[in-house]
Amino acid sequence: MKNIILITALLVSSGLATAQKPMSGQRSENTKMNNVKEIYFAGGCFWGTEHFMKQINGVVQTQVGYANGKMDIMNPTYEQVCKDNTGFAETVKVGYDPQQVDLELLIDLFFKTIDPTSLNRQGNDRGAQYRTGIYYTDKADLPAIKQTVAVLSKKYAKPVVVEIEPLRNFYKAEDYHQDYLGKHPNGYCHISPDLFEVARKANMKKGEETMMTVPQKKYQKPDDATLQAQLTAEQYAVTQKNATERAFQNEYWNEKREGIYVDITTGEPLFISTDKFDSGCGWPSFSKPIDKSLIMKKTDNSYGMQRIEVRSKTGNAHLGHVFNDGPADKGGLRYCINSASLRFIPKAMMKKEGYAGYISLLEKK
């Protein structure tokens, strides 16, 4: 592709990015995520609904906020919405890749998290802000929404009271609400923890079940002083300051050996070599992480683009970005990751380094 600007490594001393000249025939790390569709779910407390949606394969971004309230109220606060007189509902904006998960499945899974016959109440939460609803931005989605809800409604003796409406307005909630259960695993949630596992397995591809049986070890992020002492200047800038290393001038872009890639800050396994492919972008590219729960995704609007940033869950280290221009036979995603965020452990060293339980994942699929 021509005329693609590559955002290169941030200057370590200042944290500022420098630009590299476009390189013909090269795919950029900053390609925009295309073909992501949006749907909005109101299902009681948005903490649980967001965490549930994050588990589903094909959901690439989520954001909690307040939807379909009074048009004369702009940017409502949580305190205002809790007064139950603004008309807003706690709602989760869901961005999904329709090539990986369809709207009908998302709705079916959503229904598992709510009592669709309960008006203005879910779990211990009461009030109009906790009503249930499906809000759409694309009129073409309406027939599928209505049909799916109609089929699901037959399972209930009482009338289903889930709103189906076009999205009139949506305001992002305060930052502390975003990914709340990811930050506070023991926080309040009206959704049974067992359902999070249901979401993870709902449209899992053959062979992915094996990944979830790998023995887990607890990993911990070191304090900042330790990180600065352990990491190189570039590794620290990339993982802690969201820098980007140079394409084709990083350690693992052309690594072809079998092995495992772990978080440079914590040692937690993130990617396996059997999911690595040559994307031509100049950075290590993977079709998926070892386990989706190990990765956090965030909307990144820097440099005038809208991209999906990828961070490690435990270490909260910046890894790179994910795009949907990967190989179709591998799921269609491309996790474009900085080498400086990773440590590669060859297969021959995995047992010695404590990763023997992951060797079975290296079997050719």
Side-chain angles (χ1 to χ4, degrees):
M1 293 183 292
K2 296 182 178 180
N3 298 323
I4 295 179
I5 298 177
L6 294 177
I7 306 296
T8 59
L10 299 187
L11 292 174
V12 172
S13 60
S14 65
L16 299 176
T18 58
Q20 184 175 334
K21 292 182 179 180
M23 300 176 70
S24 178
Q26 189 171 297
R27 180 161 29 181
S28 170
E29 187 265 353
N30 302 297
T31 307
K32 184 178 179 180
M33 191 78 167
N34 297 317
N35 302 321
V36 174
K37 296 200 64 176
E38 290 181 357
I39 193 70
Y40 294 73
F41 291 111
C45 175
F46 47 23
W47 293 348
T49 304
E50 181 189 35
H51 193 68
F52 179 84
M53 289 293 163
K54 278 179 174 289
Q55 311 308 312
I56 302 172
N57 185 41
V59 170
V60 298
Q61 61 188 86
T62 59
Q63 185 179 83
V64 298
Y66 313 112
N68 280 23
K70 294 179 181 179
M71 299 299 288
D72 59 340
I73 300 178
M74 308 290 286
N75 295 309
T77 64
Y78 181 66
E79 289 72 20
Q80 287 177 308
V81 172
C82 284
K83 291 179 180 178
D84 200 15
N85 60 2
T86 65
F88 284 94
E90 291 195 12
T91 302
V92 179
K93 174 184 177 181
V94 176
Y96 67 97
D97 181 352
Q99 293 182 348
Q100 295 189 75
V101 60
D102 56 40
L103 180 57
E104 291 85 350
L105 178 58
L106 289 177
I107 296 172
D108 181 77
L109 291 170
F110 168 64
F111 262 64
K112 296 181 187 302
T113 69
I114 61 173
D115 176 357
T117 68
S118 178
L119 184 64
N120 298 339
R121 178 178 179 177
Q122 293 296 314
N124 297 324
D125 301 309
R126 301 185 182 187
Q129 73 268 33
Y130 298 115
R131 66 186 184 272
T132 55
I134 303 173
Y135 309 129
Y136 58 92
T137 58
D138 186 349
K139 290 183 179 179
D141 290 335
L142 183 57
I145 296 172
K146 285 186 173 180
Q147 182 178 5
T148 305
V149 171
V151 171
L152 293 171
S153 297
K154 295 177 182 179
K155 300 179 181 179
Y156 301 91
K158 298 179 181 179
V160 167
V161 293
V162 178
E163 294 181 339
I164 300 175
E165 297 179 353
L167 185 75
R168 297 193 302 273
N169 51 22
F170 177 83
Y171 297 97
K172 178 185 174 183
E174 294 81 350
D175 286 343
Y176 72 90
H177 287 299
Q178 307 298 327
D179 190 31
Y180 185 87
L181 289 183
K183 304 170 187 171
H184 309 279
N186 297 319
Y188 165 76
C189 182
H190 67 287
I191 298 175
S192 168
D194 293 340
L195 287 175
F196 297 139
E197 192 71 5
V198 171
R200 290 179 63 195
K201 294 181 178 179
N203 60 340
M204 191 173 290
K205 295 179 177 62
K206 184 178 179 181
E208 290 183 341
E209 294 89 347
T210 306
M211 296 182 183
M212 299 176 64
T213 64
V214 173
Q216 297 298 308
K217 172 185 173 182
K218 287 191 175 181
Y219 296 90
Q220 189 172 4
K221 180 182 180 180
D223 59 39
D224 190 67
T226 301
L227 284 175
Q228 290 196 55
Q230 291 180 345
L231 304 179
T232 67
E234 183 175 49
Q235 288 169 342
Y236 184 84
V238 169
T239 60
Q240 307 304 303
K241 302 297 182 181
N242 295 359
T244 302
E245 65 196 6
R246 289 183 177 273
F248 301 101
Q249 297 179 42
N250 54 82
E251 192 170 2
Y252 303 130
W253 76 271
N254 200 32
E255 177 61 67
K256 293 181 169 59
R257 290 176 293 171
E258 287 188 295
I260 194 168
Y261 294 82
V262 305
D263 184 346
I264 190 68
T265 66
T266 65
E268 187 167 31
L270 297 177
F271 300 96
I272 204 82
S273 61
T274 48
D275 296 318
K276 191 172 187 287
F277 64 95
D278 183 4
S279 68
C281 69
W283 289 276
S285 297
F286 303 88
S287 58
K288 61 179 180 290
I290 291 174
D291 190 320
K292 188 177 179 182
S293 66
L294 303 174
I295 298 293
M296 293 189 298
K297 296 177 181 177
K298 304 176 94 175
T299 301
D300 177 6
N301 294 316
S302 62
Y303 303 106
M305 296 174 285
Q306 186 180 69
R307 299 172 293 166
I308 306 301
E309 181 194 6
V310 179
R311 304 185 71 86
S312 61
K313 192 68 173 284
T314 302
N316 192 28
H318 172 71
L319 303 176
H321 296 84
V322 60
F323 308 99
N324 63 355
D325 56 4
D329 62 344
K330 293 180 177 289
L333 293 181
R334 172 172 61 99
Y335 285 81
C336 187
I337 308 298
N338 288 280
S339 291
S341 299
L342 304 173
R343 182 167 77 92
F344 174 69
I345 302 166
K347 182 178 179 180
M349 297 295 295
M350 286 175 62
K351 184 176 181 179
K352 180 179 178 180
E353 294 267 2
Y355 299 97
Y358 294 84
I359 293 176
S360 62
L361 300 184
L362 294 172
E363 297 177 2
K364 297 295 183 182
K365 300 178 178 65

